[in-house]
């Protein structure tokens, strides 16, 4: 079966996007002015796109603004938003996945979609082209789609092929492409000029030239856009053209088309549950479990909504998969409803079926991996952690946070005769300490506005700075375990020594709390 | 505070029958100030306990861990446990420090740093719903709005249904209406004398005031618990306080 490639060309992408934004701002009058979008260059502003009114007045893409103003003095020039256009195009390519699982951004104003084996879902290729055009028109974008067995031919047909061109049979390609100009081969300016000088105007002219002549004439030209023969081979499908899809491989997914657009969000949860059940079934067939899920929702007005969740361990329990999206469905904005949904297991890992022990007691509540998934999904990955020791004797560096699904490796703990506090402050708090002599034991300290008399004290335990990691001016710390007169036990330290030549008199800090 | 038990319960109040029966047999109702005395050896069914303590020391956390240690069975050491904190209690009270935790509990800790009290409460509830955990420690600073009677009731039900105890630390909190089964007010107490060093702090102690307990007589206890370092196997114990004991009748007559 030949491939069905759809090329979507948006001839007025920048202008369509600008007028869409103007309409959204409620700026209806803006459409009545001749507007051009310009980019600053070394030779002054150059026009990128012109609105229909401006084009009528004579402005064209590629002209300098100064030249266009000669023809139409009333032009309104606005800066182009190239980045915004690229982002919009990426969204459009994603939204095109409604009609097939494989899509990519094509140049600055187009997208490619592989709809092989999917067109019958939309009542055939003719209806598919009409549906694509209608859907984007609803959003305010002019789209000219075309279908062909190769990407190059689809591109040529959409740009130069007239109304909704459609070629399904690879054998019919040469005849369909022959009347198109050579520019339809996506050649660079230099080559186009050369071909014009040679008198080759159409693709048909080029196909009539004996192949060996073309090989000889263009043998030094490696780049495809400079070599008409290479492009001809691409277009006719004689050589494969590498294409980079938006999503690289086609993962397992489940999909629902809805007869009636969905407006109520509580029904959406129901759809997600259905999708999760379908997906779980196909995951089971492949003996896989999902690690990352991607939910795509297509809005009736043409936009897409995407949500992603990640799992700590592979799972294909439909109930669990669906519940992960519970919090993520809030705040979905679809004024005209949602009419298509797809759940994709973007990342799946091997998960064999295992039999539990026959006499195992009934599981009590959720399992541990499920708990971790739910915590991570709602609170975020950085808020849930396991703790592991780290090879450093400085307290604040002696433990690190691991991902919650990682079992902490065995490590070296502080020696048992060094008693350590139960809790450590993120940042040690400065205190004022009264002590008998500069080197003596602390007697009393003031912290958070309260005065604490020290009843018992043990120390000091001296922790030297890590000289291989810190600057030479780092000071050592003398830690004291203390207990005040009410029995509160703290870990305090003196930062530095008197006369160590590293700054002024030592400061005191409170660093931790003992049991 | 014992009125809390007689308030109308939320609609989802449906503890399993077996559990209710067990508790009824275990702990006779404490209606008229009767009931039994609490002691560390008494094996209470897992539920929500509230511990009120100051933000400026760690006596509450230490006692919560000591309660969990006192409950520990041998097969439980490998089980993970959850420590949930809200942002405010992390800022004021610090984070758990691995090197100071009980040795058997170090590898199982899963720490949750919630951004706000609502998230923290949600994480605690998820925790007690997970039967694979051995216990949950929750920390909330002050009196957050989401922590109302309904929230505590939900926590009690979830904890009892799945058998995961939750020790909820209320740092600088006010003892409002709550469904917690046991409610303690905890403060640091001067430590036991150190065996080798007369001027150093010894085994930690805490003054714990049980001011409400389902089926238990309220009372004040001075509890000694292990520092988990010097003497492994040191368990929670009540420090006897001879001077608080009422005089025996014959002595009283004589005096």
């Amino acid at each position: 079966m030949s491939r069905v490639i759809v090329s979507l060309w948006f001839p007025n992408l920048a202008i369509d996007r600008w007028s869409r934004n103007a309409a959204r701002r409620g700026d209806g009058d803006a459409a009545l002015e001749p507007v051009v979008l310009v980019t600053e260059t070394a030779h002054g502003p150059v026009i990128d796109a012109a609105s229909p009114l401006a084009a009528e007045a004579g402005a064209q893409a590629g002209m300098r603004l100064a030249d266009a103003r000669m023809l139409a003095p009333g032009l309104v020039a606005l800066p182009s938003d190239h980045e915004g256009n690229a982002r919009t195009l990426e969204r459009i390519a994603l939204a095109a996945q409604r009609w097939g699982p494989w899509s990519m951004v094509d140049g600055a104003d187009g997208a490619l979609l592989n709809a092989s084996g999917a067109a019958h879902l939309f009542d055939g290729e003719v209806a598919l082209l009409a549906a694509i055009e209608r859907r984007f028109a609803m959003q305010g974008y002019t789209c000219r789609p075309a279908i062909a067995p190769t990407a190059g031919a689809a591109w040529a047909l959409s740009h130069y092929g007239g109304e909704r061109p459609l070629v399904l049979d690879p054998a019919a390609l040469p005849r369909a492409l022959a009347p198109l100009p050579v520019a339809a081969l996506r050649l660079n300016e230099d080559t186009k000029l050369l071909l014009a000088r040679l008198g080759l105007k159409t693709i048909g002219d080029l196909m009539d030239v004996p192949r060996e002549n073309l090989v000889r004439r263009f043998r030094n030209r490696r780049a495809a856009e400079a070599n008409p023969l290479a492009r001809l081979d691409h277009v006719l499908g004689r050589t494969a053209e590498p294409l980079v899809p938006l999503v690289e491989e086609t993962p397992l997914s489940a999909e629902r088309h809805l007869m009636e657009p969905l407006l109520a969000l509580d029904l959406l949860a129901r759809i997600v549950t259905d999708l999760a059940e379908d997906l779980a079934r196909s995951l089971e067939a492949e003996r896989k479990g999902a690690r990352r899920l991607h939910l795509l929702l297509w809005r009736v007005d043409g936009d897409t909504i995407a949500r992603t969740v990640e799992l700590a361990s592979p799972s294909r329990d439909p109930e669990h998969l669906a519940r992960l999206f519970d919090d993520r469905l809030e705040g979905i904005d679809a004024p005209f409803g949602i009419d298509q949904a797809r759940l994709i297991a973007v990342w799946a890992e091997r998960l064999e079926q295992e039999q539990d022990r026959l006499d195992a007691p009934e599981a009590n509540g959720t399992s541990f991996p499920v708990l971790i998934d739910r915590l991570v999904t709602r609170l975020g990955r950085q808020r849930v952690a396991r703790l592991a020791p780290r090879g450093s004797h400085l307290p604040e560096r002696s433990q690190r946070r691991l991902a919650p699904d990682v079992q902490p490796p065995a490590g070296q703990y502080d020696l048992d005769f060094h008693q350590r506090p139960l809790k450590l402050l993120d940042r040690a708090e400065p205190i004022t300490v009264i002590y008998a002599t500069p080197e003596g034991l602390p007697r009393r300290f003031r912290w958070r506005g309260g005065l604490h008399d020290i009843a018992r004290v043990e120390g000091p335990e001296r922790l030297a700075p890590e000289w291989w990691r810190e600057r030479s001016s780092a000071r050592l710390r003398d830690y004291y375990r203390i207990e005040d007169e009410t029995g509160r036990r703290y870990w305090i330290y003196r930062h530095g020594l008197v006369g160590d030549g590293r700054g002024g008199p030592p400061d005191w800090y409170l660093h931790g709390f003992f049991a | 505070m014992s009125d809390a038990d007689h308030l109308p319960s939320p609609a989802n109040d449906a503890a399993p029958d077996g559990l209710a029966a067990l508790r009824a047999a275990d702990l006779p109702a404490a209606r008229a100030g009767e009931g039994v005395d609490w002691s560390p050896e008494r094996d209470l069914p897992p539920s929500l306990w509230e511990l009120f303590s100051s933000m400026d020391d760690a006596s509450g956390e230490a006692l919560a861990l000591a309660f969990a240690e006192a409950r520990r069975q041998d097969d439980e050491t490998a089980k993970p446990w959850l420590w949930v904190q809200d942002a405010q209690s992390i800022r004021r009270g610090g984070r758990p420090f691995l090197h100071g935790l009980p040795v058997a509990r170090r590898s199982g800790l899963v720490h949750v740093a919630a951004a706000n009290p609502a998230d923290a409460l949600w994480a605690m509830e998820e925790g007690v719903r997970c039967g694979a955990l051995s216990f949950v420690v929750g920390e909330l600073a002050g009196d957050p709005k989401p922590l109302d009677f309904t929230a505590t009731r939900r926590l009690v039900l979830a904890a009892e249904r799945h058998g995961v105890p939750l020790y909820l630390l209320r740092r600088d909190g006010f003892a409002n209406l709550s469904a917690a089964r046991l409610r303690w007010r905890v403060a640091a107490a001067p430590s036991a004398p150190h065996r080798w060093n007369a001027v150093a702090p010894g085994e930690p102690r805490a003054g714990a005031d049980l001011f409400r307990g389902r089926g238990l007589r309220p009372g004040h206890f001075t509890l000694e618990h292990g520092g988990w370092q010097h003497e492994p196997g040191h368990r929670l114990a009540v420090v006897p306080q001879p001077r608080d004991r009422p005089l025996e009748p014959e002595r009283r007559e004589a005096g």
Side-chain angles (χ1 to χ4, degrees):
Chain A
M1 200 183 83
S2 69
R3 296 198 297 167
V4 177
I5 307 282
V6 187
S7 164
L8 300 95
W9 181 40
F10 299 89
N12 308 321
L13 181 73
I15 282 294
D16 285 346
R17 183 164 170 266
W18 169 80
S19 50
R20 206 170 107 95
N21 287 346
R24 193 176 289 167
R25 282 194 306 268
D27 195 359
D29 296 340
L32 301 176
E33 288 173 347
V35 171
V36 289
L37 302 178
V38 298
T39 306
E40 285 292 338
T41 67
H43 308 291
V46 170
I47 296 177
D48 290 318
S51 72
L53 272 179
E56 214 169 275
Q60 279 174 13
M63 284 170 99
R64 286 189 206 159
L65 180 63
D67 298 343
R69 282 239 165 97
M70 298 276 283
L71 300 169
L75 283 184
V76 177
L78 297 171
S80 279
D81 177 13
H82 294 288
E83 266 179 44
N85 291 344
R87 262 199 316 274
T88 304
L89 200 60
E90 215 162 282
R91 296 257 303 273
I92 284 176
L94 189 65
Q97 289 193 5
R98 173 196 279 278
W99 298 287
W102 189 104
S103 71
M104 66 178 266
V105 172
D106 182 27
D109 55 358
L112 280 177
L113 167 76
N114 187 347
S116 309
H120 68 278
L121 296 172
F122 306 95
D123 304 327
E125 285 82 1
V126 180
L128 176 62
L129 287 183
I132 289 174
E133 211 175 303
R134 196 173 57 241
R135 181 75 68 172
F136 284 112
M138 203 146 52
Q139 239 183 316
Y141 292 110
T142 315
C143 177
R144 295 183 48 190
I147 286 182
T150 64
W155 189 92
L157 288 171
S158 67
H159 283 67
Y160 295 94
E163 193 73 4
R164 288 183 203 159
L166 173 71
V167 179
L168 290 175
D169 183 8
L173 264 184
R175 215 162 55 89
L177 292 175
L180 303 187
V182 284
L185 290 177
R186 290 172 292 164
L187 298 167
N188 57 16
E189 291 302 318
D190 188 28
T191 315
K192 271 191 271 189
L193 185 67
L194 178 67
L195 289 177
R197 286 187 181 152
L198 293 173
L200 300 170
K201 292 205 178 82
T202 64
I203 295 180
D205 294 343
L206 203 60
M207 284 193 285
D208 290 340
V209 178
R211 188 179 170 84
E212 45 287 9
N213 293 2
L214 284 179
V215 171
R216 200 164 55 235
R217 180 65 184 80
F218 294 104
R219 67 174 180 270
N220 290 332
R221 302 196 173 197
R222 300 257 179 257
E225 63 268 20
N227 190 333
L229 185 62
R231 280 299 195 205
L232 206 55
D233 286 349
H234 283 161
V235 165
L236 298 176
R238 288 186 202 131
T239 55
E241 184 181 1
L243 301 170
V244 186
L246 220 52
V247 181
E248 275 190 24
E249 76 183 85
T250 315
L252 290 175
S253 64
E255 187 159 344
R256 279 278 189 287
H257 299 252
L258 308 175
M259 298 293 280
E260 290 278 326
L262 194 72
L263 290 166
L265 283 182
D266 46 336
L267 288 174
L268 195 57
R270 174 75 222 157
I271 301 287
V272 173
T273 311
D274 287 355
L275 289 174
E277 275 168 16
D278 288 4
L279 186 64
R281 225 167 285 136
S282 37
L283 283 169
E284 192 169 355
E286 300 235 333
R287 292 190 182 178
K288 281 180 171 173
R291 284 295 304 272
R292 189 182 297 141
L293 290 169
H294 200 60
L295 178 71
L296 279 178
L297 303 168
W298 280 273
R299 289 169 27 167
V300 172
D301 53 356
D303 221 335
T304 42
I305 299 163
R307 292 284 186 274
T308 305
V309 297
E310 213 164 291
L311 291 87
S313 62
S315 162
R316 53 170 175 255
D317 174 12
E319 204 175 314
H320 176 48
L321 300 186
R323 275 194 75 189
L324 287 180
F325 283 100
D326 278 359
D327 301 318
R328 294 304 177 91
L329 295 181
E330 283 164 19
I332 280 182
D333 177 35
F336 300 102
I338 287 160
D339 65 349
Q340 193 175 337
R342 184 185 296 163
L343 185 63
I344 311 163
V346 182
W347 172 19
E349 276 183 358
R350 195 132 195 93
L351 179 65
E352 298 292 344
Q353 296 192 342
E354 281 174 18
Q355 183 177 13
D356 282 341
R357 283 164 52 204
L358 283 174
D359 60 342
E362 205 178 330
N364 190 354
T366 50
S367 70
F368 185 65
V370 170
L371 168 75
I372 296 298
D373 283 348
R374 291 184 49 72
L375 290 175
V376 167
T377 310
R378 163 137 176 197
L379 304 176
R381 209 164 175 74
Q382 71 287 355
R383 294 197 172 273
V384 188
R386 304 196 84 147
L387 301 180
R390 180 156 60 178
S392 170
H393 63 266
L394 282 187
E396 63 269 27
R397 283 203 195 119
S398 63
Q399 72 178 10
R400 63 197 161 124
R401 295 165 68 78
L402 296 178
D405 42 352
V406 178
Q407 185 66 34
Q412 175 80 53
Y413 285 91
D414 278 353
L415 297 170
D416 265 359
F417 53 82
H418 289 147
Q419 209 162 340
R420 286 291 175 255
L422 185 59
K423 292 179 89 184
L424 201 67
L425 285 166
D426 282 351
R427 183 171 298 218
E429 293 182 12
I431 52 176
T432 340
V433 171
I434 297 165
Y435 40 94
T437 64
E439 292 297 321
L441 295 175
R443 293 268 177 253
R444 178 185 285 183
F445 70 98
R446 184 179 289 279
W447 171 60
R448 287 184 184 170
L451 200 59
H452 300 257
D453 273 316
I454 296 174
R456 299 180 184 187
V457 61
E458 184 182 22
E461 180 192 340
R462 181 160 291 182
L463 295 184
E466 298 187 317
W467 51 265
W468 58 96
R469 193 179 281 158
E470 285 173 275
R471 278 176 297 142
S472 61
S473 59
R475 307 182 88 170
L476 59 80
R477 302 179 189 171
D478 277 337
Y479 275 90
Y480 293 88
R481 271 182 71 211
I482 58 157
E483 180 176 321
D484 74 3
E485 78 281 6
T486 60
R488 296 170 163 190
R489 285 165 288 272
Y490 299 111
W491 210 31
I492 64 172
Y493 69 87
R494 186 184 56 215
H495 195 222
L497 293 171
V498 175
D500 60 0
R502 298 180 170 188
D507 298 319
W508 285 83
Y509 294 92
L510 190 150
H511 204 180
F513 306 91
F514 279 98
Chain B
M1 268 304 145
S2 63
D3 284 351
D5 278 348
H6 313 300
L7 282 180
S9 308
N12 60 353
D13 182 0
D17 291 337
L19 204 62
L22 174 80
R23 199 181 311 109
D26 205 33
L27 308 167
R31 297 301 293 271
E34 291 174 0
V36 292
D37 273 330
W38 177 84
S39 87
E41 288 80 35
R42 192 171 291 281
D43 192 18
L44 299 172
S47 181
L48 165 65
W49 294 11
E50 265 183 314
L51 287 85
F52 291 86
S53 69
S54 159
M55 193 80 97
D56 292 345
D57 61 26
S59 53
E61 296 93 301
L63 200 57
L65 282 176
F67 285 150
E69 287 297 296
R71 266 193 89 244
R72 186 172 79 190
Q73 273 105 45
D74 287 338
D75 64 327
E76 218 190 35
T77 39
K79 278 183 163 186
W81 57 289
L82 205 62
W83 188 321
V84 183
Q85 293 184 293
D86 66 346
Q88 180 74 359
S89 47
I90 290 180
R91 202 176 60 76
R92 294 282 311 266
R95 293 171 193 265
F97 189 49
L98 203 57
H99 302 272
L101 290 174
V103 178
R105 298 291 194 190
R106 282 178 187 167
S107 62
L109 169 63
V110 177
H111 180 247
V112 176
N116 52 51
D119 277 355
L121 276 170
W122 175 86
M124 288 176 217
E125 192 176 335
E126 285 297 323
V128 292
R129 282 183 193 287
C130 176
L133 295 185
S134 64
F135 64 98
V136 179
V137 173
E139 264 187 72
L140 289 175
D143 301 291
K145 215 175 175 72
L147 184 73
D148 51 7
F149 181 78
T150 318
T152 56
R153 186 81 196 146
R154 285 174 63 95
L155 289 173
V156 168
L157 289 176
E160 292 183 354
R161 179 165 307 150
H162 299 104
V164 181
L166 167 59
Y167 305 103
L168 177 58
L169 295 158
R170 303 281 312 278
R171 321 291 308 272
D172 285 348
F174 178 75
N176 260 328
L177 203 58
S178 162
R181 292 294 186 213
L182 266 63
R183 307 187 81 192
W184 299 86
R185 210 167 270 130
V186 181
S191 59
H194 196 285
R195 195 180 294 175
W196 315 115
N197 184 351
V199 295
E203 285 298 319
R205 283 179 180 174
D209 185 16
L210 177 65
F211 66 93
R212 211 207 80 193
R214 164 76 73 85
L216 294 172
R217 192 179 301 148
H220 186 84
F221 306 88
T222 301
L223 298 171
E224 188 175 76
H225 46 88
W228 301 306
Q229 302 278 342
H230 291 295
E231 288 155 76
H234 196 119
R235 287 293 179 96
L236 189 64
V238 178
V239 180
Q241 286 175 298
R243 60 197 161 82
D244 286 355
R245 200 176 288 158
L247 291 172
E248 287 163 32
E250 59 270 27
R251 292 267 183 88
R252 193 183 293 160
E253 277 170 22

